Amino acid sequence: MNCTKSTNVITLHALKLDIDENTVKVNEIDTNEDMGVSKISTDEEYDFFIVKTKRNMQSGKQYRISINYVGLLNNSDIVALYLSTYKVGDETRYAVASQLEHVFSRRVFPSFDEPAMKATFDIIIKHRNTRSALSNMPVIRNETDGDWNTAYFDTSPVMSDYLVAIVVSDFVYKEKLTKSGVKFRVWARPGMIDTVDFSLDLGIKTLEYFEELWNISYPIPKLDMVALPQKMYGAMENWGLITYHEYYMLFNKETDSPLKAQRMARLISHEVAHMWFGNLVTMAWWNQAWLNEGFASHFQYVGIDHVYPEWKTFEVYYQDIVTLRAFSVDASSDSHPTVMPNADWSYEMEQQFDARLYDRGAQIIMMMRSILGDTVLFEGFRNYLNKRSYGNAYTDDLWTDLTETARNSGIDIDMKEVMDPWLRQIGFPVVTITRTDDTLTIQQKVFLRDSDDELPEAPENFDYTWNIPLTYVISSDKILYDNPSLLWMNRTTTETIKVHNVSSYDWVLGNIYQHGYYRVNYDLDNWNKLITQLATDHEQIPIQNRAALIDDAFNLARSGDVNVVLAFKVADYLRNDGNYAPWKAFISNLKYVRRMLEKTPAYGYLEEFGRDLIKPIYTKYGWNFTASDLEPQNHGNYLLKVEAIQLSCEFNDEDCVREAKSAYSNWMDDMENNKIPFDVRGTAMCTAIKHGGQDEWMFAYRELNNPSDKSLLDNITTALACTQDVWLLEKYLDDYYREFLNTTGVVVQPPTEYDVIDLFAIIKKMRAQSAVGSFVANTFTLTHFDEMKSRDATKAFKTLWDQADGMRMKSQYKLIEDLGRKYNDMPQDEVKAFYKALRNINANIRWMEKNYDSLETWLEEKSEN
């Protein structure tokens, strides 16, 4: 330890460790002087282990503290140092792995468990000879004694203790060298080693690319990636030893799909990006975590785009996964800033690790790319990484480095002034462009999905306005998409500009390629001109902006800024668009409209509209799955094919239903040889059971206890909820309810890539599948709520309030209100959820009042035509 200020107190973190206090010693390193220990105490609130020395430690000197302790090998919550298990036949095999982020190193060794308290680590592991041991660094020495081996690992770089990693297993590996000589190995259990090639290839290529991009060598001579049967999170970016849930690292070319390949690629590229953003330069505290996660979330796509340019990542699916997801979670008062004022307790740290951190952070970087350009911005990132290597950073440090780089490049900008409003207050703006002859009036306001939502008081120095880099083109200049006009709204609510050489036929398009983190609304005349352009020649508008127009229009209908009929008119051209991104934007937004209409006379018209709209796409692709789907250039088409099948079957297209029933019937006859393509298996099963009878349902029901494949179990449990037979739904719920009653306490199950299947999950699935299922599930919840609450109050209340999402009548509002009064002793978190449920119902009521009549009329007219 370096002593920076004279003291006689050492405060460490320690939790669930059996420490032998008699062994605690503190020595000055140069002289080996024993400082003596006068008192040892603990502070359970902060997990502190406090050592008071007899003599003062002096500033500028180094000291050693030695402690003997025993820790737990955890097998309950999959963190700290834990046991992971897997089966080989009837034999259970074990591996030991670590997960120390966010604050779990204190459960493995006494530590300074804070990201800014960096150190080097020397790891020693004693293990049986039949196992191998891995840590952050290479093994430099082995000492064998009979059946046991002691592995000594090289000293690590200076790093935060949450990055320390250990794996002990009987796994095997494949290995290659990178161009710079890094030994790159991927590990899996012996029976799965033939499925690691995709991960090995992608991992090496992204590591090489990021070394080249940042012009900073990866500083460790090896990088191991390990596929674990159990993992708390999808992956963990430990320096030199990245651990994954095996679902995200193992790819079987014969059976796995392009969708899985993309999911894996995103996560692998994300973790490799962390070797620089997070490991080399680490956030100074947890409320600065976007410096780790926002950057890894954005550059994972940059890495994928380099390795697989044929995927057209930023054109095909970046918007859906990043931009539109960030918009979705950031449009209400219960959002949180990307940079929170503080995150001092473990639950606060956990709460911020969501899409507002990852996806909003990634989209903020996308907007910075459009502000500074890649050349300047990436040079700024290089300067940031070089200046702060092996250290820690605050967001203001990033702004300092980017501002300096920009100004040295001739760009006069203060990045802190420009960017702080985007990171330190919740939400984002909607920009409204109104054209009158040759004048554009631009206005900004915060976008709230529920117009009656009440924002919390803005942080000091902020007022829910933003510095907006509004990019736009006029249709007569649409060839200038790559060099659009730019207007800065410097936290002003209104700007007026003159445009030249425009005609009455021209339209305006804002937020080019949707690189900015804001929505765009227009005056009605401009909307109609854009709709006409889409209908006549949609390719005159970029793919990303077609998706943005659809998503903006439907969400502006949610907020009450436009009528939803306008959104449907925008989307009506889609029958002629064979690109995934615009379709995905429409399908995602359609879910809310379906929920509002599913118990109304208009629903049949909506189904007919949806069937007609998707028919050209469905007819083009059908259920034709071939090996060519895996070829990189076909990924976008594959994604659209999967969506077309799902939407067509959900809207009861005759051919789709027939194909689904045939696929399911063949699967029933021979499950091994008539497998349904993975990404439409759930659709086929749900459709066949929905349109089938007792035999189809019972076949799936009998399979509940058979599949070791968790993805198949997830498909089956969802498909069983698709039946329209009430008695089967009642049986389904009753079986899980009896199992629920026989369970003592709250069951903690190891996390997987799929939801835990229990009574609450079945209720959720049933609500999602049909109006019949929703009615049965809601009735069941109300009938059995008291018993459910007595056994698992958190899940029970969530299930109770979640039904409000589909409610849209005043009588339903009163039902939820009465339940709130009945259970007025509910925990504080549930009080918040209760009021949110009421707000959701009110918002749904307003949506119906504003939109239903006009939408029903429009859909009916479309049906007649």
Side-chain angles (χ1 to χ4, degrees):
M1 300 175 296
N2 295 318
C3 183
T4 59
K5 183 179 179 180
S6 294
T7 183
N8 69 335
V9 176
I10 302 170
T11 302
L12 297 162
H13 292 96
L15 180 65
K16 297 184 179 181
L17 300 178
D18 184 8
I19 295 176
D20 184 350
E21 295 184 1
N22 293 322
T23 67
V24 178
K25 289 186 177 180
V26 180
N27 296 86
E28 200 262 307
I29 288 181
D30 286 342
T31 64
N32 203 33
E33 178 186 2
D34 187 348
M35 308 308 294
V37 175
S38 62
K39 183 181 179 181
I40 292 176
S41 60
T42 58
D43 186 328
E44 293 184 2
E45 184 177 12
Y46 298 101
D47 302 334
F48 283 164
F49 180 78
I50 304 165
V51 178
K52 189 172 184 180
T53 58
K54 293 178 180 178
R55 285 175 287 282
N56 264 13
M57 292 169 284
Q58 301 300 312
S59 174
K61 293 189 175 183
Q62 291 185 322
Y63 296 84
R64 179 191 303 109
I65 181 170
S66 56
I67 303 172
N68 288 355
Y69 70 97
V70 175
L72 294 173
L73 189 56
N74 178 31
N75 62 357
S76 60
D77 54 0
I78 324 295
V79 295
L81 196 61
Y82 68 92
L83 273 178
S84 181
T85 63
Y86 67 96
K87 290 276 191 179
V88 177
D90 293 330
E91 178 190 1
T92 299
R93 294 191 181 181
Y94 299 89
V96 171
S98 60
Q99 172 64 50
L100 304 193
E101 190 181 25
H102 304 105
V103 288
F104 302 123
S105 72
R106 65 191 65 181
R107 287 171 54 175
V108 179
F109 51 87
S111 59
F112 296 106
D113 198 1
E114 297 180 2
M117 303 290 281
K118 289 192 168 186
T120 61
F121 293 85
D122 295 278
I123 305 293
I124 303 170
I125 300 174
K126 188 173 183 179
H127 59 91
R128 293 187 184 274
N129 290 330
T130 53
R131 307 281 168 156
S132 58
L134 300 173
S135 188
N136 305 81
M137 300 299 291
V139 173
I140 55 173
R141 185 170 88 254
N142 286 295
E143 293 180 358
T144 302
D145 183 8
D147 293 336
W148 293 86
N149 180 71
T150 302
Y152 295 81
F153 294 86
D154 206 352
T155 302
S156 76
V158 174
M159 65 185 193
S160 302
D161 57 8
Y162 75 83
L163 294 172
V164 171
I166 292 169
V167 174
V168 179
S169 72
D170 64 352
F171 293 176
V172 293
Y173 66 87
K174 287 189 176 183
E175 171 186 343
K176 289 183 180 179
L177 287 179
T178 70
K179 293 175 183 175
S180 59
V182 175
K183 181 188 291 186
F184 202 113
R185 297 181 296 187
V186 288
W187 298 73
R189 43 193 168 119
M192 308 298 286
I193 193 62
D194 289 337
T195 61
V196 302
D197 293 329
F198 179 84
S199 297
L200 178 60
D201 181 66
L202 179 66
I204 286 175
K205 288 178 178 176
T206 50
L207 187 73
E208 291 173 341
Y209 172 64
F210 287 133
E211 280 191 312
E212 177 185 328
L213 180 63
W214 304 127
N215 197 25
I216 299 174
S217 297
Y218 172 74
I220 297 175
K222 64 93 175 178
L223 179 54
D224 290 304
M225 301 201 312
V226 182
L228 295 166
Q230 288 91 33
K231 187 104 180 73
M232 172 58 76
Y233 310 105
M236 178 61 210
E237 66 268 19
N238 313 298
W239 220 354
L241 176 53
I242 304 173
T243 52
Y244 297 83
H245 189 290
E246 62 182 20
Y247 173 83
Y248 294 105
M249 217 188 93
L250 306 180
F251 186 80
N252 187 325
K253 292 181 180 179
E254 302 301 319
T255 59
D256 288 333
S257 73
L259 268 173
K260 184 178 181 185
Q262 290 180 8
R263 291 189 192 106
M264 288 176 55
R266 292 198 298 269
L267 192 60
I268 290 168
S269 185
H270 180 101
E271 302 309 318
V272 174
H274 268 309
M275 300 301 106
W276 287 265
F277 293 99
N279 297 5
L280 183 66
V281 179
T282 311
M283 72 224 160
W285 186 245
W286 297 104
N287 67 333
Q288 308 289 315
W290 89 283
L291 294 172
N292 289 21
E293 300 301 345
F295 277 77
S297 295
H298 184 84
F299 281 101
Q300 71 187 50
Y301 296 99
V302 176
I304 293 170
D305 196 46
H306 172 78
V307 177
Y308 298 116
E310 306 94 333
W311 286 9
K312 299 180 180 177
T313 297
F314 289 101
E315 181 181 292
V316 175
Y317 60 85
Y318 174 89
Q319 271 177 291
D320 172 53
I321 297 171
V322 178
T323 313
L324 304 189
R325 185 188 298 176
F327 280 152
S328 177
V329 300
D330 201 19
S332 64
S333 60
D334 58 2
S335 184
H336 65 73
T338 303
V339 177
M340 298 177 68
N342 45 54
D344 296 333
W345 299 95
S346 59
Y347 73 90
E348 292 175 329
M349 299 172 194
E350 288 285 349
Q351 284 177 345
Q352 70 166 350
F353 279 80
D354 58 17
R356 301 167 183 93
L357 185 74
Y358 290 77
D359 299 320
R360 182 169 57 189
Q363 184 60 18
I364 293 297
I365 294 170
M366 175 64 85
M367 185 162 62
M368 289 196 291
R369 291 177 68 177
S370 73
I371 293 171
L372 295 180
D374 285 358
T375 300
V376 174
L377 184 68
F378 287 12
E379 184 62 23
F381 291 157
R382 290 183 198 101
N383 292 337
Y384 164 81
L385 290 169
N386 276 298
K387 269 185 171 181
R388 305 179 195 284
S389 290
Y390 305 104
N392 298 83
Y394 290 93
T395 298
D396 281 357
D397 296 325
L398 175 67
W399 300 151
T400 297
D401 297 339
L402 292 183
T403 299
E404 180 182 343
T405 305
R407 288 177 175 170
N408 288 340
S409 303
I411 302 173
D412 186 14
I413 193 170
D414 183 332
M415 289 298 287
K416 176 177 172 60
E417 181 180 337
V418 170
M419 300 308 301
D420 264 2
W422 297 98
L423 294 174
R424 298 186 184 274
Q425 54 186 357
I426 68 172
F428 57 89
V430 54
V431 174
T432 300
I433 303 175
T434 304
R435 179 186 163 193
T436 307
D437 297 325
D438 63 348
T439 301
L440 298 182
T441 302
I442 321 292
Q443 297 173 298
Q444 70 159 297
K445 67 174 182 178
V446 63
F447 178 82
L448 291 171
R449 191 164 42 239
D450 175 2
S451 59
D452 277 6
D453 203 352
E454 295 183 6
L455 286 166
E457 184 179 351
E460 187 178 358
N461 300 322
F462 299 102
D463 57 1
Y464 293 116
T465 60
W466 289 264
N467 299 295
I468 303 173
L470 173 64
T471 54
Y472 66 94
V473 298
I474 309 295
S475 54
S476 55
D477 290 328
K478 55 183 175 287
I479 60 171
L480 300 177
Y481 283 124
D482 290 331
N483 187 26
S485 299
L486 172 65
L487 169 71
W488 275 100
M489 297 189 75
N490 293 315
R491 296 181 63 179
T492 54
T493 56
T494 304
E495 295 280 352
T496 302
I497 58 172
K498 292 285 187 180
V499 289
H500 304 288
N501 301 318
V502 295
S503 74
S504 60
Y505 300 103
D506 281 327
W507 42 255
V508 183
L509 183 69
N511 197 4
I512 304 308
Y513 299 123
Q514 206 176 36
H515 285 170
Y517 187 50
Y518 53 89
R519 295 197 180 280
V520 185
N521 192 10
Y522 305 93
D523 61 83
L524 184 57
D525 181 62
N526 197 75
W527 271 116
N528 286 330
K529 288 172 181 172
L530 288 166
I531 290 167
T532 300
Q533 180 66 71
L534 289 170
T536 54
D537 185 0
H538 61 271
E539 292 186 352
Q540 293 299 313
I541 296 175
I543 291 172
Q544 296 94 321
N545 280 102
R546 302 200 299 264
L549 285 168
I550 292 169
D551 189 67
D552 284 347
F554 275 97
N555 279 278
L556 289 165
R558 291 282 297 270
S559 64
D561 289 289
V562 303
N563 190 286
V564 77
V565 170
L566 183 142
F568 274 91
K569 288 179 178 178
V570 173
D572 197 25
Y573 88 97
L574 277 171
R575 69 191 79 250
N576 300 316
D577 195 337
N579 289 281
Y580 173 75
W583 268 106
K584 185 61 177 177
F586 172 68
I587 291 169
S588 297
N589 282 287
L590 193 61
K591 293 175 183 177
Y592 177 78
V593 181
R594 292 174 67 182
R595 202 158 63 234
M596 292 299 97
L597 265 57
E598 69 176 351
K599 299 174 187 176
T600 72
Y603 191 73
Y605 298 129
L606 179 65
E607 273 200 349
E608 186 177 349
F609 174 80
R611 280 196 304 270
D612 178 66
L613 196 66
I614 194 66
K615 191 66 176 179
I617 307 298
Y618 175 76
T619 301
K620 178 179 179 180
Y621 294 114
W623 289 69
N624 182 30
F625 291 89
T626 66
S628 66
D629 290 328
L630 277 171
E631 295 175 6
Q633 68 271 17
N634 292 330
H635 277 213
N637 293 338
Y638 176 86
L639 294 174
L640 185 55
K641 181 196 308 185
V642 170
E643 294 289 345
I645 290 172
Q646 181 173 347
L647 188 63
S648 297
C649 281
E650 286 178 354
F651 279 157
N652 302 312
D653 177 87
E654 289 183 3
D655 184 79
C656 193
V657 171
R658 183 169 53 251
E659 289 283 354
K661 291 175 71 174
S662 174
Y664 185 74
S665 176
N666 292 336
W667 181 70
M668 289 172 64
D669 291 341
D670 188 345
M671 295 175 64
E672 185 61 33
N673 294 313
N674 294 332
K675 291 180 179 179
I676 305 169
F678 181 87
D679 290 317
V680 296
R681 186 173 64 191
T683 296
M685 294 173 70
C686 178
T687 304
I689 286 174
K690 176 182 175 182
H691 293 273
Q694 182 177 339
D695 289 346
E696 287 82 2
W697 194 89
M698 282 297 184
F699 181 85
Y701 182 75
R702 287 191 294 270
E703 289 302 312
L704 270 177
N705 297 319
N706 292 336
S708 57
D709 179 352
K710 288 185 171 59
S711 67
L712 178 57
L713 179 62
D714 185 67
N715 290 151
I716 290 172
T717 52
T718 299
L720 289 170
C722 295
T723 181
Q724 302 298 287
D725 291 335
V726 172
W727 76 273
L728 290 174
L729 294 171
E730 294 282 7
K731 171 179 170 53
Y732 193 22
L733 285 169
D734 186 62
D735 286 353
Y736 271 90
Y737 185 59
R738 279 186 279 134
E739 180 182 313
F740 174 73
L741 294 179
N742 291 330
T743 302
T744 303
V746 178
V747 178
V748 178
Q749 299 188 34
T752 71
E753 66 279 14
Y754 300 101
D755 291 338
V756 171
I757 304 300
D758 59 10
L759 173 65
F760 302 102
I762 300 306
I763 292 171
K764 180 179 179 181
K765 289 171 181 283
M766 202 171 286
R767 282 175 177 163
Q769 296 312 313
S770 69
V772 173
S774 180
F775 174 79
V776 172
N778 290 345
T779 303
F780 180 91
T781 300
L782 294 174
T783 303
H784 298 283
F785 179 75
D786 286 337
E787 184 63 38
M788 292 159 64
K789 177 173 75 75
S790 70
R791 291 171 176 268
D792 193 334
T794 299
K795 284 188 175 181
F797 274 113
K798 176 171 174 49
T799 300
L800 186 66
W801 306 138
D802 278 355
Q803 66 183 306
D805 288 347
M807 292 180 168
R808 49 178 174 70
M809 295 186 291
K810 292 178 181 178
S811 59
Q812 294 170 319
Y813 182 95
K814 187 176 185 305
L815 170 66
I816 297 299
E817 193 175 41
D818 289 345
L819 287 169
R821 291 194 183 98
K822 180 178 180 180
Y823 299 106
N824 58 19
D825 59 344
M826 69 186 95
Q828 186 60 38
D829 283 348
E830 308 311 327
V831 172
K832 294 178 183 177
F834 161 68
Y835 282 113
K836 183 179 180 180
L838 291 180
R839 290 198 307 272
N840 287 345
I841 300 172
N842 258 335
N844 294 343
I845 291 171
R846 287 194 304 276
W847 188 94
M848 290 293 288
E849 290 173 347
K850 181 178 177 68
N851 296 290
Y852 179 77
D853 290 341
S854 56
L855 180 58
E856 182 185 32
T857 300
W858 188 82
L859 289 170
E860 185 177 6
E861 289 174 353
K862 292 291 289 186
S863 174
E864 292 172 352
N865 294 332

